[in-house]
Amino acid sequence: MIIKKVLKLESTLEERYRLIAVHSNLKIYSLAFQINKYCYTGFIRSKNDIILENEYRLPYFQWKVDEKGIDFELFANRHTIKDKSPKVKDSLFSFTNSKELSLIESHKEVDFFIKQNCYFSTSKLIHKMSKVPYISFLYKLKSEEKIENLNFEI
């Protein structure tokens, strides 16, 4: 009697990544510099920007070392868009209208995200980043809180 085993491979579209939320009042390039300085990372500005609503370009930074299996992305969650033509010009009450957009709407309060696409120790990175004086708060998002689609147009 011959017994056959059949193994099925199920294709899952589940992307394996971790998200670290970062609260800071720095600009993204200053934050990347401070993280590189205090944590000995290698975040550099990507040649491609994140394109939001087919009009706005947001810079993002990468730290990728293929030989060591390191792959991180740093991007701002908030972006303020100012109206180019104020309604009232040269007046005491003239002001520009602005609108704030968030890449991840469910976490509007978060300033920046670090997307981890590798098996590097997240807790070690968070511990090192807690030493950066310009970061007020940071934490790892739980897997239940992860966003379904983080594939932005780049």
Side-chain angles (χ1 to χ4, degrees):
M1 182 163 133
I2 299 175
I3 299 175
K4 291 184 180 180
K5 286 188 179 181
V6 177
L7 301 175
K8 287 186 177 180
L9 294 176
E10 292 184 21
S11 129
T12 60
L13 296 175
E14 182 179 331
E15 194 176 342
R16 302 215 182 258
Y17 62 86
R18 296 182 188 121
L19 280 179
I20 301 171
V22 180
H23 296 262
S24 176
N25 58 358
L26 293 175
K27 300 282 185 193
I28 190 166
Y29 54 86
S30 297
L31 180 65
F33 175 79
Q34 294 298 325
I35 293 172
N36 287 344
K37 179 180 174 183
Y38 285 94
C39 304
Y40 306 106
T41 58
F43 282 103
I44 58 172
R45 171 97 187 250
S46 174
K47 293 178 183 175
N48 302 321
D49 292 338
I50 296 173
I51 300 171
L52 188 61
E53 291 187 359
N54 293 325
E55 188 177 347
Y56 307 106
R57 302 180 76 80
L58 306 176
Y60 90 102
F61 289 74
Q62 287 183 307
W63 174 30
K64 191 168 187 169
V65 181
D66 290 329
E67 298 83 30
K68 294 183 180 180
I70 296 173
D71 186 8
F72 288 90
E73 299 173 32
L74 168 67
F75 56 92
N77 187 37
R78 297 187 202 174
H79 184 64
T80 304
I81 300 167
K82 294 180 182 174
D83 188 11
K84 294 175 182 152
S85 58
K87 293 184 179 182
V88 180
K89 293 182 180 179
D90 299 330
S91 166
L92 178 63
F93 302 106
S94 67
F95 62 92
T96 57
N97 291 333
S98 63
K99 173 172 117 173
E100 188 171 279
L101 299 175
S102 297
L103 287 178
I104 302 174
E105 290 291 326
S106 59
H107 295 285
K108 289 182 180 180
E109 70 283 353
V110 177
D111 298 314
F112 303 96
F113 282 106
I114 295 178
K115 182 181 174 190
Q116 179 180 350
N117 302 313
C118 59
Y119 294 103
F120 192 83
S121 173
T122 308
S123 57
K124 278 186 182 179
L125 182 63
I126 288 176
H127 178 71
K128 286 181 180 180
M129 286 177 60
S130 66
K131 309 259 189 260
V132 178
Y134 304 100
I135 294 177
S136 55
F137 191 51
L138 73 145
Y139 52 92
K140 180 179 134 184
L141 291 182
K142 295 179 184 175
S143 58
E144 304 90 53
E145 295 181 74
K146 286 185 183 172
I147 316 311
E148 290 81 30
N149 187 9
L150 274 180
N151 295 323
F152 304 116
E153 185 179 337
I154 297 175

